[in-house]
Amino acid sequence: MQTNFTKEQLADAGTARANEILRACVHCGFCTATCPTYQVLGDELDSPRGRIYLIKDMLENERVPDADTVKHIDRCLSCLACMTTCPSGVHYMHLVDHARAYIEERYERPRSERALRWLLARILPYPGRFRLALLGAKIGRPFARLVPDARLRAMLEMAPKQVPPVSRNDDPQSFAPEAPKRMRVALMTGCAQRALNTDINDATIRLLTRLGCEVVVAEGAGCCGSLTHHMGKSEEAHGTAGKNIRAWAREMDGAGLDAVVINTSGCGTTVKDYGHMFRETPLAADAARVAAIARDVTEVLAELMPETAEADLGPARMGIAGTDRPDTADAPGGTGPLRVAYHAACSLQHGQKIKGTPKALLKRAGFEVVEPADSHLCCGSAGTYNLMQPEISKQLKARKVQALEAKAPDVIAAGNIGCMMQIGSGTGVPVVHTVELLDWATGGPKPPALQV
């Protein structure tokens, strides 16, 4: 794509990066085939190619964003399926993130929308505040249908029926390995996940320590910054992300770290991009160091769990001493292995290019793994998307749930809390995190969602 930025414009690092990305686009349109919003809405401007044209025009002319441009960019899920499809390597993620920051600086949204976005930015990244909000939403949930604003209704409807008690495992501390030490890792405990589902971090700690990891929850680490980053609130995103970088850099410079382990793939995509986010800041070097050792939990588990020729079930067969016990991962009625429908989170398969690893681990642990049709398509969660664009999100959720249920699973597994909440709100099939199943198969407790 031909661009016409001036030298003065290209002096800005964000604009220079946008120029590189725009020039890589060859207008082929392959991205439209895998764009969820284009499939639902059928509007070229709601496809990556259409949004690229809008962003190019907005940035080149340095114009104040208009409502129509903002609408189409807001409708983007940032699922990044277009990046997987693109034959030219267009880095759409960096482009749309820059466009959102540009819009946030220059566009005055309607007052109600500004208030809603302000509220989300000051609640979701803070577990304590979010927990209080969830308790309030739980009370208001029976009256959701009476709320006129679709976005507020979506917030009430998404509130879990039960808010879990605080897990003290999320406090800053160190967990000693239960087997000969193989790695020292920092666990990112996150923000929203700590309020919505404490079982995930608990299972992760049990599993990693069982496999010989010293697990550190670093003092000062918290929200990765992705929720505000994708709203274009760069200053707030950098503030929370910067705390993580400093916290993990201290651990790296102290006793050392082999990895920063992340069990929420939306966060993982952002942390792995810290080097880019902070490239023009004093934290650039430390941000790059942290990004270089950031790993999804399944990447680390693939290193720690020995491969076998067969998909054998049972902790003893996986080389983990002291956990021999009867096979537990059976379907109801003992009819065979538990049938797991694996949902590939967009941030994992498209953002981090991790596709086969989670499925391979589950199969190796003895589960029967099935994958739904159109597994590349988004479930409609996408951070705050299901709250800000509830109508589109509901259509995508219905499609995803239908595809998953068509596989007649005993349980649905995913690697991202947002996807788990989104899918769980539309199905009666239990939804658990991949690590919960792996923890169970290697000596841990049965996932609470399966005990009902």
Side-chain angles (χ1 to χ4, degrees):
M1 178 181 289
Q2 182 178 355
T3 59
N4 296 289
F5 290 100
T6 66
K7 290 183 178 180
E8 290 75 18
Q9 288 175 315
L10 293 176
D12 174 74
T15 303
R17 177 60 176 148
N19 182 54
E20 293 174 1
I21 299 166
L22 290 168
R23 283 179 171 270
C25 180
V26 297
H27 322 271
C28 68
F30 282 13
C31 56
T32 61
T34 56
C35 177
T37 52
Y38 181 71
Q39 289 198 9
V40 169
L41 301 170
D43 188 334
E44 171 74 12
L45 295 178
D46 285 310
S47 74
R49 182 170 63 181
R51 293 185 180 108
I52 284 172
Y53 280 115
L54 290 173
I55 294 169
K56 175 181 180 294
D57 176 66
M58 179 177 68
L59 296 180
E60 274 189 342
N61 295 298
E62 295 185 347
R63 62 179 178 82
V64 175
D66 59 78
D68 198 50
T69 296
V70 172
K71 176 184 71 175
H72 293 297
I73 293 174
D74 281 352
R75 284 178 175 174
C76 175
L77 292 141
S78 285
C79 71
L80 309 181
C82 55
M83 287 179 59
T84 296
T85 310
C86 181
S88 302
V90 175
H91 204 301
Y92 179 80
M93 181 177 80
H94 287 169
L95 182 65
V96 75
D97 284 346
H98 179 66
R100 284 174 169 151
Y102 182 96
I103 288 169
E104 184 69 14
E105 290 177 5
R106 294 166 175 80
Y107 179 68
E108 186 172 358
R109 296 177 182 273
R111 183 176 298 175
S112 62
E113 193 170 330
R114 291 202 308 272
L116 185 60
R117 292 165 69 89
W118 181 89
L119 193 66
L120 290 174
R122 279 155 184 78
I123 290 179
L124 298 185
Y126 304 94
R129 300 177 194 175
F130 190 27
R131 185 179 294 275
L132 289 174
L134 288 174
L135 292 171
K138 181 182 175 182
I139 297 171
R141 187 174 181 173
F143 309 102
R145 293 184 180 181
L146 303 177
V147 177
D149 191 303
R151 294 167 301 183
L152 292 176
R153 282 201 308 274
M155 292 179 191
L156 292 175
E157 290 168 358
M158 283 297 292
K161 294 179 181 178
Q162 298 293 331
V163 179
V166 174
S167 173
R168 295 274 67 99
N169 284 341
D170 293 330
D171 295 341
Q173 59 192 295
S174 179
F175 298 86
E178 296 178 5
K181 185 174 177 180
R182 300 165 69 184
M183 299 178 76
R184 185 176 192 267
V185 303
L187 174 64
M188 179 175 182
T189 55
C191 52
Q193 180 169 281
R194 288 170 55 184
L196 291 166
N197 188 330
T198 56
D199 297 323
I200 299 171
N201 285 342
D202 290 349
T204 302
I205 293 166
R206 284 194 301 267
L207 184 54
L208 289 174
T209 54
R210 189 180 303 126
L211 292 167
C213 287
E214 179 187 353
V215 179
V216 179
V217 179
E219 180 77 45
C223 175
C224 69
S226 64
L227 291 171
T228 46
H229 180 63
H230 295 311
M231 282 195 272
K233 299 180 181 293
S234 299
E235 186 174 340
E236 294 173 40
H238 280 223
T240 51
K243 292 179 182 178
N244 286 336
I245 293 168
R246 285 185 282 269
W248 293 328
R250 284 195 298 270
E251 293 293 338
M252 294 171 74
D253 293 335
L257 290 177
D258 295 296
V260 173
V261 177
I262 305 163
N263 57 22
T264 299
S265 60
C267 301
T269 301
T270 297
V271 176
K272 288 182 177 183
D273 202 45
Y274 275 178
H276 171 77
M277 287 175 61
F278 286 84
R279 67 196 185 283
E280 297 291 317
T281 74
L283 281 176
D286 282 341
R289 285 201 300 154
V290 166
I293 64 168
R295 298 286 184 272
D296 182 73
V297 63
T298 58
E299 292 182 282
V300 175
L301 293 175
E303 294 181 29
L304 296 172
M305 289 181 167
E307 293 189 27
T308 57
E310 300 176 3
D312 290 331
L313 175 69
R317 296 179 189 173
M318 298 182 76
I320 302 168
T323 54
D324 194 7
R325 62 178 189 168
D327 293 346
T328 54
D330 286 343
T335 56
L338 202 73
R339 187 175 175 87
V340 180
Y342 174 71
H343 164 69
C346 294
S347 45
L348 198 58
Q349 63 169 324
H350 303 307
Q352 300 183 51
K353 309 302 180 189
I354 300 171
K355 299 179 181 180
T357 303
K359 292 179 289 185
L361 287 167
L362 289 169
K363 290 176 183 177
R364 199 182 306 161
F367 297 100
E368 178 190 358
V369 180
V370 294
E371 198 166 11
D374 297 325
S375 60
H376 62 282
L377 291 178
C378 185
C379 69
S381 173
T384 60
Y385 192 91
N386 53 1
L387 304 178
M388 302 299 293
Q389 302 286 338
E391 296 307 317
I392 301 173
S393 176
K394 284 179 180 178
Q395 293 182 62
L396 294 173
K397 177 174 71 174
R399 288 186 177 196
K400 182 61 68 175
V401 167
Q402 183 179 24
L404 286 163
E405 290 183 341
K407 293 295 182 177
D410 299 310
V411 62
I412 296 168
N416 187 61
I417 183 63
C419 302
M420 292 171 62
M421 298 299 298
Q422 174 83 342
I423 294 168
S425 69
T427 183
V429 180
V431 183
V432 301
H433 196 286
T434 305
V435 296
E436 292 184 85
L437 292 177
L438 295 174
D439 175 45
W440 179 31
T442 57
K446 189 175 185 178
L450 296 179
Q451 294 177 6
V452 179

